Amino acid sequence: MILILDFGSQYTQLIARRVREANVYCEIHPFDFAVEKIRAMNPRGIILSGGPASLYEENAPDIDDEVLRLGCPVLGICYGLYVIAQHLGARSVGSRAREYGPATLVIDDQDALFEGLSGREHRVWMSHGDRVESIPDSLHPIAHTDNSPYAAFCTRDGRMRGIQFHPEVVHTPCGTQVLRNFVLKICGEPGEWTMANFVHTKTGEIRARVGEGDRVLMALSGGVDSAVAAALIYRAIGDRLKCVFVDTGLLRAGERERMERVFARKLGIDLTVTDASDLFLRRLAGVLDPEEKRKIIGRTFIDVFESEEVVRGARYLGQGTLYPDVIESVSFKGPSAVIKSHHNVGGLPERMKLELIEPLRLLFKDEVRALGRELGLPSEIVDREPFPGPGLAVRIVGEVTRARLELLRRADAIVVEEFARDGFGAKLWQAFAVLLPLKTVGVMGDGRSYESVIAIRAVESQDGMTADWARLPADFLARLSSRITNETKGVNRVVYDITSKPPATIEWE
Ligand code: XMP
């Protein structure tokens, strides 16, 4: 494995993504991760990430000198480069040398890091405030830019390297090759970490842990993560996995039927489907505040789940927790976690004294999708767009009632259908309908109407942390609007949300 020590760069997760794309397993840990733990992991190589700090700040984050003496190859990126340089006795200068954006990297000396790159000049992305001004004899410069005389260097023994640019971002076209060279050529990783191997090792681990008489419970949400986790656990232990799907009454059209079709009938998983919509709607009656809605739904979900017969006697709870949720790094959480209380089954394990099985803990979202395909899950499951736990309740501004849910579900089904038909799906992060708490005047036939407004939200995003509204063709929007107003009784106006995140969030509540 490759160890990535995180100094807080916004790009640290991208470094991990690129390394894994080379079929090499890697983990991210904070820069001050204990040396004994690193030694026990026995990494084939270490990458020091970038970070927002300046070496001139007091208490600038640093590593123990021991880390550089472990013997494996080390690559320092941006701030990571200063760290190596400083440990080896280099002198840097401060913010005078700021450089943000594109630069031309000129390779001065052929190095394993640059193998396979054609030509000496390459476009790279810079984002730094300091620069290395002079290097000690133990370091050998291998590339420069106009602004940085030591944009890349290597120790004379060839073990440690520093690069000033960011190879992990798309604006550095040669970056993927540079990182591949580091992990495959310099660290000697075999590049054999594939989803097929992952299935093999994970199912082995689950089998070893779950005894013959033990049961694993899982709450399926309809989303990709819990679905893939369930399919993987099922592959390992078959019928000892018991799944529960709670119909909250807040689902998109056809959701419950889809779960039954795929999980119970196609995969043969033991699935209990509970219709709890009455309880959810009763508890949501008269509630307008978005946070209160979210909390009520989270609590009610746990109550319903706990009351299921199948839940009794289980020892384990399976969950689809992903790597971005567990990385103990300096920069791992975006703002949405504190802006909205996300609904999940987090409170369950302690209350029910269940032990957790989280087989996706080390995977990124796109790896989970690849794993789902490896396990034979259909596209309607693995390529689903994200859907919030509290469901349509956070897409109905104002009170959630059965009638308003039905209205939104009809309009939303048209949105889903039209986006799928036009093939926008793959490019978009999410596209859905929102019901507003307004009525406006319209004219239908010869009469006056006074009906509801539907907003369409369609966004492009890499990770849901930031997003931009999709620039959809006017003809497409026109068709959406006319279908929604014609086919959804109670709607006489459709608007398109043209706000990015920030300042808005993706969901309306
Ligand atoms: P926001 O609305 O915060 O959403 O911009 C970012 C992404 O998270 C999804 N979302 C949720 N996902 N439980 C979830 O599992 C939730 O409670 C929840 N709320 C929002 C949202 O759909 C978007 O993709």
Side-chain angles (χ1 to χ4, degrees), residues 294 336 340-343 386-390 429-430 464 501 505-507:
R294 283 176 170 268
S336 41
K340 297 177 182 182
S341 39
H342 275 206
H343 148 75
F387 185 68
W429 175 261
Q430 270 170 316
K501 169 184 180 174
T505 53
I506 296 175
E507 304 291 345

Side-chain angles (χ1 to χ4, degrees), residues 222-225 227-228 255 258-259 261-263 266-267 368-386 416 420 425-426:
V224 183
D225 309 339
V228 174
E255 190 71 14
R258 198 170 52 83
M259 294 305 286
R261 188 174 67 245
V262 174
F263 282 88
K266 189 158 182 275
L267 297 179
V368 170
R369 293 208 159 98
L371 173 62
R373 281 182 213 109
E374 178 71 34
L375 290 164
L377 287 176
S379 168
E380 61 176 321
I381 299 279
V382 294
D383 297 320
R384 284 207 76 212
E385 63 176 48
V416 171

Side-chain angles (χ1 to χ4, degrees), residues 98-391:
R98 284 157 69 95
E99 190 180 12
Y100 294 96
T104 302
L105 182 82
V106 182
I107 298 175
D108 298 312
D109 201 354
Q110 209 25 270
D111 181 82
L113 207 54
F114 303 133
E115 252 183 69
L117 303 189
S118 55
R120 281 186 65 203
E121 297 196 355
H122 296 273
R123 193 153 53 84
V124 296
W125 189 259
M126 293 290 198
S127 174
H128 61 97
D130 301 336
R131 84 174 174 205
V132 176
E133 194 71 345
S134 76
I135 57 173
D137 276 351
S138 54
L139 289 174
H140 169 63
I142 50 178
H144 71 273
T145 66
D146 276 351
N147 245 317
S148 303
Y150 305 108
F153 61 62
C154 174
T155 49
R156 301 251 170 224
D157 65 2
R159 197 167 63 78
M160 289 185 242
R161 287 169 178 76
I163 51 181
Q164 181 86 76
F165 59 95
H166 287 274
E168 67 277 23
V169 302
V170 289
H171 313 292
T172 302
C174 65
T176 305
Q177 184 63 31
V178 168
L179 284 171
R180 283 179 71 87
N181 285 342
F182 178 69
V183 296
L184 299 175
K185 302 236 157 63
I186 297 170
C187 301
E189 279 282 355
E192 287 168 354
W193 191 71
T194 61
M195 279 306 144
N197 283 339
F198 183 84
V199 170
H200 183 74
T201 29
K202 268 296 154 198
T203 48
E205 277 171 37
I206 297 169
R207 248 178 250 128
R209 187 166 164 209
V210 179
E212 279 302 323
D214 290 333
R215 271 194 283 146
V216 180
L217 262 185
M218 267 209 79
L220 294 183
S221 67
V224 183
D225 309 339
S226 59
V228 174
L232 181 63
I233 298 173
Y234 181 71
R235 173 78 64 97
I237 59 163
D239 280 346
R240 281 176 284 153
L241 170 71
K242 308 287 174 197
C243 290
V244 177
F245 179 70
V246 177
D247 183 347
T248 56
L250 309 168
L251 304 168
R252 285 181 125 168
E255 190 71 14
R256 174 172 163 181
E257 294 72 22
R258 198 170 52 83
M259 294 305 286
E260 285 172 328
R261 188 174 67 245
V262 174
F263 282 88
R265 277 180 251 135
K266 189 158 182 275
L267 297 179
I269 290 181
D270 184 337
L271 175 69
T272 306
V273 176
T274 310
D275 184 344
S277 53
D278 283 341
L279 180 64
F280 277 90
L281 287 180
R282 222 179 313 127
R283 291 196 184 170
L284 285 169
V287 178
L288 304 180
D289 178 66
E291 270 304 284
E292 209 184 326
K293 280 185 190 173
R294 283 176 170 268
K295 292 202 172 112
I296 291 172
I297 293 165
R299 274 200 306 271
T300 308
F301 190 92
I302 292 182
D303 290 347
V304 172
F305 189 76
E306 246 183 340
S307 67
E308 282 305 310
E309 188 55 40
V310 65
V311 162
R312 296 192 215 310
R315 172 164 178 196
Y316 297 99
L317 182 72
Q319 278 191 340
T321 317
L322 301 195
Y323 198 39
D325 302 326
V326 298
I327 298 173
E328 247 190 81
S329 69
V330 187
S331 59
F332 72 109
K333 276 253 148 70
S336 41
V338 289
I339 290 167
K340 297 177 182 182
S341 39
H342 275 206
H343 148 75
N344 54 37
V345 288
L348 266 182
E350 302 86 64
R351 221 160 102 174
M352 299 177 64
K353 305 202 167 37
L354 291 166
E355 295 168 46
L356 283 179
I357 293 196
E358 299 175 305
L360 314 182
R361 264 180 89 80
L362 298 171
L363 301 186
F364 288 104
K365 190 85 176 186
D366 45 348
E367 292 172 327
V368 170
R369 293 208 159 98
L371 173 62
R373 281 182 213 109
E374 178 71 34
L375 290 164
L377 287 176
S379 168
E380 61 176 321
I381 299 279
V382 294
D383 297 320
R384 284 207 76 212
E385 63 176 48
F387 185 68

Side-chain angles (χ1 to χ4, degrees), residues 90-101:
R91 210 160 43 77
S92 310
V93 295
S95 49
R96 270 186 301 131
R98 284 157 69 95
E99 190 180 12
Y100 294 96

Side-chain angles (χ1 to χ4, degrees), residues 411-419 421 424 431-433 454 456-458 472-488 494-496:
D412 184 63
I414 295 170
V415 174
V416 171
E417 214 179 288
E418 288 295 329
F419 275 88
R421 192 160 64 151
F424 289 121
F432 53 86
I454 285 283
I456 308 290
R457 182 80 164 135
L472 298 171
D475 288 351
F476 177 78
L477 287 169
R479 193 165 69 238
L480 261 186
S481 158
S482 108
R483 274 201 66 192
I484 292 172
T485 46
N486 282 331
E487 298 172 36
T488 317
V494 175
V495 297
Y496 186 46

